[in-house]
Structure formats: structure tokens, C-alpha cells
Amino acid sequence: MKNEEIQLASRPEGLPDEHTFRFVSTEMPAPKENEILVKSLYLSVDPYMRGRMREGKSYAAPYSIDQVITGGVVGEVVESKSSNFQKGDIVTGMLNWARYQTVQEGIVQKVNPSLAPISTNLGVLGMPGATAYFGLMDIGQPKEGETVVVSGAAGAVGMLVGQIAKIQGARVVGIAGSQEKIDYLVNELNFDVAINYKDADFKSKLADACSNGVDVYFENVGGEISDEVFKHLNTHARIPVCGAISSYNNKELDLGPRVQTILIKNRALMKGFLVSDYANRFPEGIKQLAAWIMAGKLKYEETIIDGFENTPEAFLGLFKGTNLGKLLVKVADPSQSS
Amino acid sequence: MKNEEIQLASRPEGLPDEHTFRFVSTEMPAPKENEILVKSLYLSVDPYMRGRMREGKSYAAPYSIDQVITGGVVGEVVESKSSNFQKGDIVTGMLNWARYQTVQEGIVQKVNPSLAPISTNLGVLGMPGATAYFGLMDIGQPKEGETVVVSGAAGAVGMLVGQIAKIQGARVVGIAGSQEKIDYLVNELNFDVAINYKDADFKSKLADACSNGVDVYFENVGGEISDEVFKHLNTHARIPVCGAISSYNNKELDLGPRVQTILIKNRALMKGFLVSDYANRFPEGIKQLAAWIMAGKLKYEETIIDGFENTPEAFLGLFKGTNLGKLLVKVADPSQSS
């Protein structure tokens, strides 16, 4: 039986394409002492991974050329030489983009599959959930009656941010890129307003939606959309800077209006963060998110692309904005035993 | 006896010039009940005043056309109809650019002229001092051994910021615009490094000075100087945004590299502030600054332009960078009695 992995074939300039990735057939690995053999069930594709395809240190080490790509994975233990894991256990961790892999026992966490669909460990109960929760609650600190704007609002993080802000009593304005997403945000998630940034009258719609100003802007996209939001900041506005997906594939320097005078005028705060900054508070965040889901206050959405062979295409979909909610690749079904 | 005041004659586009200001001869005012007549001794010229010459609300109300300009003033009570003030008292407050003016008793604070030169109430023991103290200590939070970079380092606020950072045990890099200023910062104020941004090799000098990265960047100038500093931020860097003087006279939109990805990469914080945000903590700040001065740990510098008639020229000097430390206009000497 053969295994297969996806390597970084070359560093993309601009948008990644078919030359960026390489599928490589490998031998099926065998676990050593204290290792487990994990069969991948779901792979996570996330915007931050584009940064790791660049040379030079960003906040995470860059991927190496001709080496397997790593990311969030949910898998099943199919063979265990660890006393901590049994065959059939569902695990999650930062693992290889491979159909099978051996893993040291300390690298993955066990997942309780009876709590929620196991894929949620890559979404609402995983990194995107914690990102939304800590970025909004710790940096954004929305208060009742305030206006919270979130860009990338129909993405994995954005739709959680908006709903958490609603739970806090804020008025929520979402920005997304299709009528379908806009409808979903308003009709399904009860956002107060949702605006399509591709509309010709985006600026005036945003101005209308923010006639009381913007108290929190949860930044996922950067670029001209954000330049426009910045015009509406209120005094003491907070801007958790989570991502800037519009710029990740830029070949040129990303130029826009400098923010200093805007920040002074509004005594506004802008703070970049990574979910890993809150690693020691993860359990608190995940517990709260799970409680809101149980209470019917928080919905999540997944866009699942079927097939390991479609992983590169799924990744590219992030930058085309085709996904609603968390974008995942389903590699395999769990065994009947689990 | 006649009085004289300086009005805003027209809103400047770009750099203010001789059409911006108008000297107007007025009647000598007489104080009513609970008012005092104040003779101006020192006028403060400050970069923020440029913002008030624009139309539209910034953080302070705009000056009105054909109305007298207001700013920080130290003056002497020459006639009192208030039981709280006596002839000869030295007072300070936000007052008119006028040789004489009547003031309601609640508008000004009394100054103790035996503590320090009365002009320091417009500098180290006034708004610039509080700006440096609270912006650095509250937002910048420099720690021992960290690298603090300050732009506009030879200005009223900047030179205090650098010295306070030194008191906190930080390594201090100042950026200023002349060899004279650079020499002063290093030789008189013991900055670890000072760099002239007009030098052809400014970028490499900055990189050398910040080889351990930048933990705090106290932002006074904006523009390309700051773009360059941002390249050297350390993880968890803090950027108190106090001013962006390089942009105040811009006619075009101030374009530069967008900061979102830099802030994420370094989990950095950027926060605009106004000294008035700390109004209720002023006494704490001024007391600490005075104590450092008494202990010989904090030096201040003033550039004093003589003559009310030279006030516009003094103001313009702010944007030419001709001043070392606090830029003031001396209008008159106090009477012999005080």
C-alpha cells in the first residue's frame, strides 16, 4: 500500500498555481515506539499558510521547498505504539498534508467525537474559533450598543466574530464578497447589516451602515476595504488585526493611506495578534464557544471539498472567496469502528 | 493703549504662509466681575495647531476664519476682578494669541514661578511633558534593556521621551533632522544612538542601530521615516502614535505601505492618543517630571523666538524643524513685581 503527500514545489509569486504544489507517492510509514500511525480525515486550508510559502521568517517558519506542507489535520489512529492512544482514536494537530503519517504521541490531541462533528476541531472548536473569540473579546472588547464591523465576514473566523459580537449586544455590520454570503449573514446569522464589497455603491452602503461610527473593526482582509472602514472609526475604536488576505498574493508593495493621523484623531488602537498568543487560554475559549453552540446562540458553517487530490484547489479557493465558513478538505471517512 | 491679536485669515493649503495669519489691532479689553486681565508673556506654538487650521472636526474644534487663534499661553495678571487672582500672578491656560485678554477666573491655572522658569509650563511641566510621559509610560511601556526609537527626537516631546526611556533602563535611538540635533541628543541627553534622517545612509544607520529590533517606537513624524522603523519591529512591539508632523501640510493623500501585515507578523500594537486622554492623571505626570528634573535626570531645552510679531514665523519653524526642544514665543517680560 502506497502513501501520498503534498510538497511545496516552488515559492509562488502572486497567486499560487499548479507549479506551487507537488503530489509525491511515498512508502507507507510504520510507527516506532511511542508513535502512532494517523490516517488523515480532514485537512484545514487557511489563509495564514500563504505566508509560510514565502521565504524569510514571518510569524511561523517558512515551508521548505520540496518538503511536505503542514497544517491543521483531523485524523484517525490506525496503528498505535503509544500507551496513550488506541486504534480508532480521533486526533488533531499541526500535521503533514499526507494521507498517512507517523506522529510522536505528544504532537496531537485526542478529540471527543461525541461532542460535535470531528471537523469542527479545525473550525469553530479549533484555531479559527479561538482566533475569533480571543481577537474580538480581548482586543476588540465590544460593548452593548456599539457598532462592530467585520471584514471577511462569511469566512471561518469572520462569521464567528459577528455572532460573538451579537451575543455581546453589539450592532454588527459584515463585509463579504457575494450576494449569497450577504443573504446568509443577514438571514441565517442575524447580522444587522451585510454589505458586498464588490457592489458599485459599497462606500455609500458602508457609510449608511456606520452612520453612528465604528467602535470595533475586526480586520481580516486589509486593502481598500479597510481603508474605507477606517474613515468611519469612532473615538477609542479598537482594531484587532487578524489578517489581510487581500495582500497575501501581492507582488508589489501594498500601498494605502497611512493610518497614523486616523489613529491619533480617534485615539484608536490597532493590534496584530496570532491565535497562538492565547495558547494558554485555549480551553477557556473553546469551552465558551461550545457552550454557545449548545445553547443555539452560535452557528458554524463548513465548506467541504472532497478528495485529497483537490487540496491545492481548495487552498486557492480561499483567495477566490468561494467558501462559506470554514474551508476543509475531506480526505477519508473514519473507520466504522470509530 | 491698543491691544493686538492674531487671527486665522484663511485656511492654508499645504504649508501655512503669510496669508494664513492676520494681525489685528483691537481695543484694550477691561475685565468684568470674576474676570482677570492677562498680559501674555509666552505663547506656545505646537504641531497639533496645524490640524485646527483645517475645516471639519479633528480631535479639537477647528479654528474659525477671522477669529483669534488659541493655544497654550503663560501670562501675568495685570488687573483682577476675581477674588482668586491678584495682580502679578502668573497663570497658564488655553488662551488667545493676543497681547492682552480678559479671562474668566476658571479658565486658567496659577503657576508657582519659584518652582521652575514659568515658560516650562508650556513645555516639560505642561502639555508636551505630559504627552511624553503618558504616551511612553502608558502605551509604550518600555522595559529595561529594550530598544526604544523616537522620531522627532529633538522636539519638545521627543527629547523627553528619549530621556524617560533611558530612566526606565531602555536603549534609546533618536531620529532627528540635523547634525546639531544629533550631537545634542547623544552628547547632552545621553541617547545611545541618534540618526539624521536626511543622511543618504539613514536606512542602513537605522538598521545598524536597531540590530536587536525595536520594542517601542514613539511616533511623532509619520511618513517614510516611520515606514522604515516599522521594518525593524520586534514581536509585541508597542507604537504610541503621538503625531505625524510630516503629513500635516500634505495636500495629497498620505500614501505608504499598509501596516496590517507588519502588525500581525509582530503582534504589534499601535495606538493613537491625545494628552487630554490623561487629563485626570496630569498631576501625577507633572509631579514625576518635576522630580526627575530636580534630581538632574531630565533635561529640557527651549527655543525662544522673541516678539509677538514673530509668532507666525515661529509656528512655521515647527515644520522646518529648526527648533531644539520646546518652541516658544516670548511676548513680554513679567513686571518687576512678580
Side-chain angles (χ1 to χ4, degrees):
Chain A
M1 191 173 165
K2 288 298 242 182
N3 188 19
E4 195 177 21
E5 67 180 31
I6 305 174
Q7 298 178 350
L8 182 68
S10 65
R11 302 201 182 281
E13 300 211 11
L15 206 62
D17 59 20
E18 68 272 26
H19 304 294
T20 306
F21 303 99
R22 180 191 300 129
F23 285 82
V24 176
S25 185
T26 59
E27 293 303 312
M28 178 64 71
K32 299 185 194 118
E33 201 55 36
N34 298 322
E35 287 188 345
I36 53 180
L37 179 64
V38 174
K39 173 179 148 189
S40 296
L41 303 179
Y42 291 97
L43 306 184
S44 182
V45 291
D46 295 282
Y48 79 88
M49 301 173 80
R50 177 63 183 84
R52 299 190 63 186
M53 294 177 185
R54 278 181 221 285
E55 214 157 8
K57 190 175 171 300
S58 174
Y59 42 81
Y63 297 127
S64 298
I65 300 281
D66 299 332
Q67 297 293 312
V68 64
I69 288 172
T70 56
V73 173
V74 165
E76 180 184 358
V77 177
V78 290
E79 188 182 342
S80 175
K81 291 201 171 173
S82 160
S83 57
N84 296 321
F85 293 91
Q86 295 189 349
K87 190 166 184 247
D89 281 352
I90 304 297
V91 294
T92 188
M94 290 297 286
L95 300 179
N96 293 341
W97 275 9
R99 289 183 185 273
Y100 292 87
Q101 59 198 298
T102 55
V103 178
Q104 289 197 324
E105 60 185 3
I107 301 295
V108 292
Q109 293 87 47
K110 232 180 277 191
V111 161
N112 182 345
S114 66
L115 272 185
I118 58 172
S119 58
T120 59
N121 288 282
L122 300 177
V124 62
L125 299 184
M127 271 183 24
T131 301
Y133 180 80
F134 290 109
L136 181 68
M137 297 299 282
D138 198 65
I139 302 171
Q141 301 186 16
K143 289 166 197 67
E144 189 157 352
E146 286 191 331
T147 296
V148 174
V149 174
V150 54
S151 53
V157 173
M159 68 168 58
L160 299 176
V161 166
Q163 292 181 85
I164 297 169
K166 287 295 292 178
I167 293 170
Q168 305 306 311
R171 195 174 148 273
V172 173
V173 177
I175 302 174
S178 75
Q179 187 59 44
E180 180 200 0
K181 291 177 178 177
I182 297 308
D183 291 343
Y184 176 84
L185 294 173
V186 172
N187 298 332
E188 299 296 322
L189 302 187
N190 298 314
F191 279 39
D192 296 279
V193 184
I195 309 172
N196 186 343
Y197 67 85
K198 293 174 182 168
D199 281 355
D201 56 351
F202 164 67
K203 292 185 182 186
S204 65
K205 280 183 175 164
L206 182 71
D208 288 346
C210 301
S211 56
N212 290 327
V214 175
D215 300 293
V216 178
Y217 173 50
F218 195 100
E219 168 70 292
N220 279 316
V221 302
E224 292 179 11
I225 295 170
S226 299
D227 297 343
E228 204 57 35
V229 176
F230 291 165
K231 295 179 185 171
H232 302 287
L233 295 182
N234 277 337
T235 302
H236 298 305
R238 290 83 68 195
I239 307 171
V241 185
C242 176
I245 195 169
S246 75
S247 73
Y248 291 174
N249 293 305
N250 280 1
K251 296 183 193 179
E252 309 292 326
L253 199 58
D254 178 35
L255 289 180
R258 291 194 180 93
V259 295
Q260 283 95 326
T261 50
I262 298 170
L263 296 182
I264 298 171
K265 179 178 157 187
N266 300 299
R267 306 71 144 331
L269 175 147
M270 211 171 166
K271 185 171 185 338
F273 74 101
L274 296 179
V275 66
S276 54
D277 296 338
Y278 298 95
N280 62 348
R281 291 175 57 196
F282 264 35
E284 163 200 339
I286 301 301
K287 188 179 167 194
Q288 178 62 78
L289 291 162
W292 282 330
I293 290 174
M294 297 293 190
K297 292 182 176 176
L298 188 64
K299 297 181 183 178
Y300 61 91
E301 195 74 34
E302 296 170 332
T303 298
I304 298 180
I305 308 293
D306 205 54
F308 185 71
E309 65 279 12
N310 295 318
T311 305
E313 188 191 323
F315 179 73
L316 293 182
L318 289 172
F319 303 101
K320 295 180 186 148
T322 48
N323 57 305
L324 190 64
K326 181 67 190 109
L327 188 52
L328 298 168
V329 176
K330 183 176 176 182
V331 180
D333 282 312
S335 311
Q336 292 303 327
S337 64
S338 67
Chain B
M1 192 174 164
K2 288 299 242 182
N3 188 20
E4 194 176 22
E5 67 181 32
I6 305 174
Q7 299 179 350
L8 183 68
S10 65
R11 302 201 181 281
E13 299 211 10
L15 205 63
D17 60 20
E18 68 273 25
H19 303 294
T20 306
F21 303 99
R22 180 193 299 128
F23 285 81
V24 177
S25 184
T26 59
E27 293 303 312
M28 179 64 70
K32 300 186 191 114
E33 201 55 38
N34 299 321
E35 287 187 346
I36 52 179
L37 179 63
V38 174
K39 172 180 150 189
S40 296
L41 302 179
Y42 291 97
L43 306 184
S44 183
V45 292
D46 296 282
Y48 79 88
M49 301 174 80
R50 177 63 182 84
R52 299 190 64 186
M53 294 177 184
R54 282 181 217 285
E55 214 156 10
K57 192 178 168 299
S58 175
Y59 43 82
Y63 296 128
S64 299
I65 301 280
D66 298 333
Q67 296 292 311
V68 64
I69 289 172
T70 56
V73 173
V74 165
E76 179 183 358
V77 178
V78 290
E79 187 181 344
S80 176
K81 291 201 170 173
S82 159
S83 55
N84 296 321
F85 292 91
Q86 295 190 345
K87 189 166 185 250
D89 281 350
I90 304 296
V91 295
T92 187
M94 291 296 286
L95 300 180
N96 294 341
W97 275 9
R99 290 184 184 273
Y100 292 87
Q101 58 200 297
T102 55
V103 178
Q104 289 199 324
E105 59 185 6
I107 302 294
V108 292
Q109 294 86 48
K110 233 179 279 189
V111 161
N112 182 346
S114 65
L115 272 185
I118 58 172
S119 58
T120 59
N121 289 281
L122 300 176
V124 62
L125 299 184
M127 271 181 26
T131 301
Y133 180 81
F134 290 110
L136 181 68
M137 298 298 283
D138 198 65
I139 303 172
Q141 300 185 16
K143 289 166 196 66
E144 190 157 351
E146 287 192 331
T147 296
V148 173
V149 174
V150 54
S151 54
V157 172
M159 68 168 58
L160 299 176
V161 166
Q163 292 180 85
I164 297 170
K166 288 293 296 177
I167 293 170
Q168 305 304 311
R171 195 173 148 272
V172 173
V173 177
I175 302 174
S178 74
Q179 188 60 42
E180 181 200 357
K181 290 177 178 177
I182 297 308
D183 292 343
Y184 176 84
L185 294 173
V186 172
N187 298 332
E188 298 296 323
L189 302 187
N190 298 315
F191 279 40
D192 296 278
V193 184
I195 309 173
N196 186 344
Y197 68 84
K198 294 175 181 168
D199 281 354
D201 56 351
F202 165 66
K203 292 185 182 185
S204 64
K205 279 183 176 166
L206 181 71
D208 288 347
C210 302
S211 56
N212 289 327
V214 175
D215 300 295
V216 178
Y217 173 50
F218 195 101
E219 169 69 293
N220 278 317
V221 302
E224 292 180 10
I225 294 172
S226 299
D227 298 344
E228 204 56 36
V229 176
F230 291 165
K231 295 180 184 171
H232 302 286
L233 295 182
N234 277 337
T235 302
H236 299 305
R238 290 84 67 195
I239 307 171
V241 185
C242 176
I245 195 170
S246 74
S247 73
Y248 291 174
N249 293 306
N250 279 1
K251 297 181 191 180
E252 309 292 327
L253 199 57
D254 178 33
L255 289 181
R258 291 194 180 91
V259 295
Q260 283 95 328
T261 51
I262 297 170
L263 296 182
I264 298 170
K265 179 177 156 189
N266 301 297
R267 307 68 141 341
L269 176 148
M270 210 169 166
K271 184 169 186 341
F273 73 102
L274 296 179
V275 66
S276 54
D277 297 338
Y278 298 96
N280 62 349
R281 291 175 57 196
F282 264 36
E284 163 201 339
I286 301 301
K287 188 178 166 194
Q288 178 62 78
L289 291 161
W292 282 330
I293 290 174
M294 297 295 190
K297 292 181 176 176
L298 189 64
K299 296 180 183 178
Y300 61 91
E301 195 74 34
E302 296 170 332
T303 298
I304 299 180
I305 308 290
D306 205 53
F308 185 70
E309 65 278 14
N310 294 318
T311 304
E313 187 191 324
F315 179 71
L316 293 180
L318 288 171
F319 303 101
K320 295 179 186 152
T322 47
N323 57 304
L324 190 64
K326 181 66 189 111
L327 188 52
L328 298 168
V329 175
K330 183 174 175 183
V331 180
D333 282 311
S335 311
Q336 291 304 326
S337 63
S338 67

